[in-house]
């Protein structure tokens, strides 16, 4: 790994390009912002393998789990309207649907705050969740209601006892995409709108994020032309087909005779509130700017400053294992590959097939950095570690230049 030097600077594109090449990232869009403006914006592509595939302001990326942050914004909008109580039993809002309770602790309430802090005791059953992928927009054939009831209630199509952890709600973290989907379902039921339509109408349209969407069908023909292609490095179609058999995978010609790339075709995910949001890096920077501006951007208020403060506040300081969690925005210590620099950052990362991304802010400086890429090493643990560390180094380098 190349360690990027720490100083007040204008970012050296050659250093970042080297990181992109070393980590075998097909393309990456980088943006640095403060609360009022874009400080830096540049895109990079793997300068040998993908040098002809240029990225620009209109390039639309899949965000992976960065999508979860929007669930928290939507939930707090309903809190402000006195339609949602974060600490009420979720069955208050599920009626007339069947009740959802922890099968081992049925008398302990499950709340929206639990869902937004991954303390719901809902576990991530990877073997089941790998079946949630579908080509294109086919994921819409399964509603959030069907997904949640079938995953969480005994007798459901996706149910397994291992879908629940053996501890009480609100006491430990169990990172859960289905928990986030359940939060999305509650937003649907309260607002009487499909979750994806709600966030478009109440978050993206007011901010003029015209390319922000979940479904490919919501994009214009021109916007669809700007969807980036996603790739995996040093793997095979056979490996990926076993991982997610519903997605189309195509071997991509490589300049390296012993290394194979795989092009990952367009796909959906029935657990879509958790990681299926798409938009350009420029649109995401406006969304993050709204957050840095305490809920307001260009005179449009999405949330009050008080609600943003709730999202940023560690929700369970009494439990060491949960001390990093606000409401779906979390704090993490990011360390450089030579261990010389560590920053405590707030935001979210994104990882899903064909995606490694990060949207983080430094709470001390109110500087934000966005890195969106269209490459993944999810089936290669060693190379995945290298990619994750290289992204950390780029992230820290950009923070250091502008802090």
């Amino acid at each position: 790994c190349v360690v990027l030097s720490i100083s007040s600077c204008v970012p050296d594109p050659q250093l970042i390009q080297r990181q992109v090449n070393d980590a075998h990232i097909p393309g990456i869009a980088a943006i640095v912002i403060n609360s009022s403006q874009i400080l830096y914006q540049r895109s990079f592509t793997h300068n040998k393998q993908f040098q002809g595939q240029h990225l620009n302001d209109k390039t639309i990326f899949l965000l992976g789990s960065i999508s979860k942050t929007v669930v928290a914004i939507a939930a707090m909008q309903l809190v402000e309207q006195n339609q949602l109580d974060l600490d009420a039993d979720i069955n208050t809002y599920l009626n007339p649907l069947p009740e959802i309770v922890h099968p081992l602790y049925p008398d302990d309430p499950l709340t929206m705050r639990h869902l937004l802090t991954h303390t719901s005791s809902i576990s991530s059953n990877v073997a089941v969740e790998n079946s949630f992928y579908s080509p294109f927009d086919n994921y819409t054939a399964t509603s959030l209601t069907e997904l949640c009831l079938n995953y969480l209630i005994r007798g459901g199509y996706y149910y397994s006892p291992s879908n629940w952890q053996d501890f009480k709600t609100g006491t430990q973290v169990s990172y859960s995409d289905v928990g986030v989907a359940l939060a999305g379902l509650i937003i649907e039921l309260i607002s009487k709108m499909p979750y994806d339509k709600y966030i478009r109408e109440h978050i993206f349209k007011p901010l003029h994020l015209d390319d922000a969407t979940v479904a490919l069908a919501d994009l214009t023909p021109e916007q669809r032309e700007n969807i980036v292609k996603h790739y995996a490095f040093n793997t095979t179609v056979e490996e990926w087909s076993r991982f997610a058999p519903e997605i189309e995978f195509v071997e991509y010609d490589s300049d390296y005779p012993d290394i194979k790339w795989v092009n990952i075709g367009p796909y959906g995910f029935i657990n879509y509130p958790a990681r299926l949001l798409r938009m350009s890096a420029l649109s995401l920077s406006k969304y993050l700017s709204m957050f840095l501006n305490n809920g307001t951007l260009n005179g449009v208020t999405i949330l009050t400053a008080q609600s943003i403060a709730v999202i940023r506040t560690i929700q369970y300081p009494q439990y060491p294992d949960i001390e990093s969690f606000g409401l779906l925005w979390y704090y993490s210590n990011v360390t450089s590959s030579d261990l010389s620099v560590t920053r405590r950052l707030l935001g979210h990362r994104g990882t899903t097939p064909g995606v490694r991304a990060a949207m983080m802010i430094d709470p001390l400086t109110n500087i934000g950095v966005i890195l969106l890429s269209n490459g993944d090493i999810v089936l290669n643990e060693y190379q995945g570690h290298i990619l994750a560390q290289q992204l950390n180094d780029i992230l820290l380098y950009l923070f250091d230049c502008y802090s």
Side-chain angles (χ1 to χ4, degrees), residues 309-321:
V310 171
I311 292 173
R312 294 175 70 142
T313 299
I314 293 173
Q315 299 293 304
Y316 293 97
Q318 68 271 37
Y319 295 120
D321 291 341

Side-chain angles (χ1 to χ4, degrees), residues 27-294:
I28 189 168
I31 293 184
V32 183
I33 66 170
N34 61 19
S35 59
S36 61
Q37 62 184 319
I38 292 176
L39 304 176
Y40 176 80
Q41 180 178 7
R42 183 152 181 163
S43 297
F44 301 84
T45 53
H46 192 291
N47 68 2
K48 183 173 183 181
Q49 185 65 47
F50 295 94
Q51 57 186 342
Q53 299 188 15
H54 299 294
L55 309 179
N56 56 50
D57 285 354
K58 297 180 180 180
T59 302
I60 296 173
F61 289 84
L62 188 58
L63 303 186
S65 288
I66 294 174
S67 309
K68 293 179 171 70
T69 66
V70 180
V71 179
I73 301 293
M76 289 307 297
Q77 286 183 329
L78 298 178
V79 169
E80 289 185 357
Q81 298 163 19
N82 295 317
Q83 297 188 68
L84 172 64
D85 181 345
L86 294 180
D87 298 308
D89 190 314
I90 62 166
N91 292 299
T92 303
Y93 308 107
L94 291 179
N95 185 45
L97 297 176
E99 284 196 341
I100 294 177
V101 298
H102 193 316
L104 300 178
Y105 304 98
D107 296 329
D108 290 353
L110 173 58
T111 71
M112 192 68 152
R113 195 182 302 274
H114 296 146
L115 298 175
L116 299 181
T117 53
H118 295 291
T119 60
S120 64
S121 300
I122 299 171
S123 62
S124 182
N125 188 331
V126 176
V128 173
E129 292 185 21
N130 281 353
S131 69
F132 290 175
Y133 295 102
S134 62
F136 298 97
D137 286 339
N138 290 5
Y139 74 93
T140 57
T142 301
S143 68
L144 291 180
T145 299
E146 293 171 310
L147 165 64
C148 293
L149 297 183
N150 279 292
Y151 189 93
L152 296 170
I153 297 178
R154 185 178 285 108
Y157 180 74
Y158 300 117
Y159 183 80
S160 164
S162 61
N163 291 357
W164 292 91
Q165 298 280 9
D166 187 8
F167 49 77
K168 293 187 175 185
T169 57
T171 60
Q172 296 185 46
V173 167
S174 177
Y175 191 88
S176 173
D177 281 357
V178 174
V180 175
L182 181 53
L185 172 59
I186 292 169
I187 291 167
E188 280 194 353
L189 294 172
I190 293 174
S191 66
K192 297 180 173 56
M193 296 174 67
Y195 171 78
D196 54 348
K197 184 176 180 181
Y198 178 91
I199 59 177
R200 281 175 66 86
E201 292 296 323
H202 295 278
I203 300 175
F204 301 148
K205 281 189 177 180
L207 294 176
H208 301 289
L209 310 185
D210 298 331
D211 58 10
T213 185
V214 174
L216 296 167
D218 289 335
L219 296 171
T220 66
E222 179 185 358
Q223 288 171 331
R224 286 178 215 170
E225 290 296 317
N226 291 316
I227 297 173
V228 72
K229 293 184 178 180
H230 294 269
Y231 299 91
F233 169 73
N234 199 18
T235 184
T236 65
V237 169
E238 289 72 25
E239 286 181 298
W240 277 94
S241 296
R242 288 193 296 271
F243 175 79
E246 296 297 322
I247 306 176
E248 180 184 9
F249 303 101
V250 178
E251 187 172 312
Y252 184 75
D253 290 338
S254 173
D255 292 335
Y256 306 91
D258 299 328
I259 294 176
K260 296 190 181 297
W261 294 75
V262 170
N263 174 219
I264 301 171
Y267 64 87
F269 189 64
I270 64 174
N271 197 356
Y272 71 87
R275 50 187 162 114
L276 198 56
L277 192 57
R278 297 175 168 91
M279 70 178 78
S280 63
L282 185 59
S283 288
L284 188 60
S285 74
K286 296 176 183 177
Y287 167 77
L288 184 57
S289 183
M290 174 275 297
F291 189 83
L292 292 174
N293 275 289
N294 289 320

